[in-house]
C-alpha cells in the first residue's frame, strides 16, 4: 500500500564516522555546509543536553500516530537515531517515557520527533537524547499509515536512511552519507581556526580589522580610513 510500508535500509554511516563527529559543535558542522542545512529552530533538546550522533532510521507517520514508531524501535540497531517526521503537529504526543526507556534499553543513539512528546519532566532529567518540536499531555493513536526508511524532510532539511544525524544544545543537523568525509575535514579545519582565535582573544591580540574593511567594501559611510 502506498504510504504504508516498511522498507529495508540499504546503507548507514559507520561507527567510526559517528565517533569522529561525536562532540563536534553542530554550529561548526553547519557552517562548513554553507549554513544551508537545518532541522528547524523548533526542534529542541528535551533531555539534559547530552550531544547526539548516529545513523538515521527514518519514519514518516500521520500526525498524532505512532504505530510505525513502535515498529521502528524494534527494527533499529544499537546507535541508530530514529528520526520521525510527524508533520510538526503538536496536538498529540508521539513518544513519552515508556518508549524512551525502551529505546535506551535497545542501545539506540537518540530520538528525533518532528512533533510533540509527553512525560517531558522525566525525559528532561535524563541524558538520553530526545529532540522534539513541543510537549503535550495528549497521547497518540496507533492506526497508521506511515513508512519506515524513506527520505524525509524537516523544515527543508532532507534526511535519508543511514545519513549522519547530529544534535546538541543548538539544534539538529543531518549530514548526507556521501558528504561525511568532506564535511568532517572542513569542520576539523574550522575547529583549528577557532582555537587560534580563542588564543588570540586570551592574549589580547585578536585582529578585527576585517570589520571596517568589509564595511568600506559595502559602501558604509563614517568608517575611519
Amino acid at each position: 500500500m502506498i504510504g504504508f510500508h516498511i522498507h529495508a535500509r540499504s546503507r548507514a554511516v559507520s561507527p567510526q564516522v559517528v565517533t569522529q563527529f561525536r562532540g563536534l559543535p553542530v554550529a561548526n558542522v553547519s557552517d562548513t555546509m554553507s549554513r544551508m542545512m537545518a532541522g528547524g529552530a523548533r526542534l529542541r533538546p528535551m533531555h539534559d543536553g547530552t550531544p547526539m550522533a548516529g545513523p538515521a532510521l527514518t519514519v514518516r507517520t500521520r500526525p498524532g500516530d505512532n504505530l510505525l514508531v513502535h515498529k521502528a524501535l524494534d527494527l533499529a540497531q544499537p546507535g541508530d537515531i530514529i528520526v520521525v517526521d510527524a508533520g510538526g503537529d503538536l496536538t498529540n504526543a508521539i513518544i513519552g517515557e515508556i518508549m524512551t526507556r525502551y529505546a535506551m534499553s535497545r542501545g539506540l543513539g537518540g530520538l528525533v520527533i518532528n512533533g510533540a512528546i509527553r512525560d517531558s519532566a522525566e525525559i528532561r532529567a535524563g541524558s538520553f537524547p530526545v529532540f522534539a518540536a513541543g510537549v503535550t499531555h495528549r497521547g497518540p493513536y496507533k492506526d497508521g499509515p506511515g513508512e519506515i526508511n524513506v527520505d524525509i524532510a524537516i523544515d527543508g532539511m532532507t534526511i535519508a536512511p543511514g545519513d549522519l544525524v547530529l544534535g546538541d544544545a543548538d539544534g539538529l543537523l543531518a549530514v548526507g552519507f556521501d558528504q561525511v568525509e568532506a564535511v568532517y575535514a572542513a569542520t576539523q579545519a574550522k575547529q583549528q581556526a577557532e582555537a587560534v582565535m580563542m588564543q588570540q582573544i586570551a592574549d589580547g591580540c585578536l585582529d578585527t580589522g576585517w570589520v571596517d574593511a568589509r564595511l568600506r567594501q559595502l559602501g558604509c559611510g563614517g568608517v575611519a580610513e
Side-chain angles (χ1 to χ4, degrees), residues 33-130:
M33 299 175 75
S34 300
R35 304 180 176 95
M36 291 293 290
M37 306 297 175
R42 293 191 311 146
L43 287 175
R44 306 306 307 156
M46 297 292 173
H47 58 297
D48 70 356
T50 298
M52 177 183 73
L57 190 155
T58 61
V59 181
R60 181 189 294 126
T61 187
R62 179 172 66 91
D65 192 288
N66 73 357
L67 177 60
L68 271 293
V69 183
H70 280 279
K71 182 59 178 178
L73 286 171
D74 287 335
L75 292 175
Q77 299 299 307
D80 281 352
I81 311 294
I82 294 181
V83 185
V84 181
D85 180 12
D89 184 81
L90 305 182
T91 306
N92 298 83
I94 298 298
I95 63 138
E97 182 183 17
I98 291 175
M99 294 177 74
T100 300
R101 286 191 177 272
Y102 184 51
M104 293 171 61
S105 76
R106 302 210 63 244
L108 304 191
L111 300 170
V112 177
I113 310 296
N114 185 24
I117 67 165
R118 64 179 180 177
D119 303 322
S120 59
E122 291 78 10
I123 291 171
R124 179 73 66 187
S127 61
F128 183 78
V130 176

Side-chain angles (χ1 to χ4, degrees), residues 50-215:
T50 298
M52 177 183 73
L57 190 155
T58 61
V59 181
R60 181 189 294 126
T61 187
R62 179 172 66 91
D65 192 288
N66 73 357
L67 177 60
L68 271 293
V69 183
H70 280 279
K71 182 59 178 178
L73 286 171
D74 287 335
L75 292 175
Q77 299 299 307
D80 281 352
I81 311 294
I82 294 181
V83 185
V84 181
D85 180 12
D89 184 81
L90 305 182
T91 306
N92 298 83
I94 298 298
I95 63 138
E97 182 183 17
I98 291 175
M99 294 177 74
T100 300
R101 286 191 177 272
Y102 184 51
M104 293 171 61
S105 76
R106 302 210 63 244
L108 304 191
L111 300 170
V112 177
I113 310 296
N114 185 24
I117 67 165
R118 64 179 180 177
D119 303 322
S120 59
E122 291 78 10
I123 291 171
R124 179 73 66 187
S127 61
F128 183 78
V130 176
F131 288 76
V135 176
T136 179
H137 57 77
R138 295 178 62 174
Y141 300 100
K142 294 173 171 60
D143 304 305
E147 295 179 285
I148 294 176
N149 283 324
V150 292
D151 292 358
I152 61 175
I154 300 176
D155 280 4
M157 181 179 71
T158 58
I159 306 171
D163 284 353
L164 177 67
V165 179
L166 306 173
D168 64 15
D170 286 338
L172 189 77
L173 180 66
V175 183
F177 180 90
D178 294 323
Q179 299 173 320
V180 290
E181 291 185 10
V183 171
Y184 177 72
T187 304
Q188 284 293 93
K190 182 171 179 59
Q191 290 281 96
Q192 294 167 8
E194 288 198 353
V196 171
M197 292 179 66
M198 290 296 189
Q199 188 60 53
Q200 290 173 340
I201 291 171
D203 296 339
C205 62
L206 181 66
D207 182 5
T208 61
W210 69 269
V211 178
D212 283 351
R214 180 61 172 158
L215 289 171

Side-chain angles (χ1 to χ4, degrees), residues 25-41:
V26 168
N28 284 2
V29 180
S30 177
D31 282 355
T32 67
M33 299 175 75
S34 300
R35 304 180 176 95
M36 291 293 290
M37 306 297 175

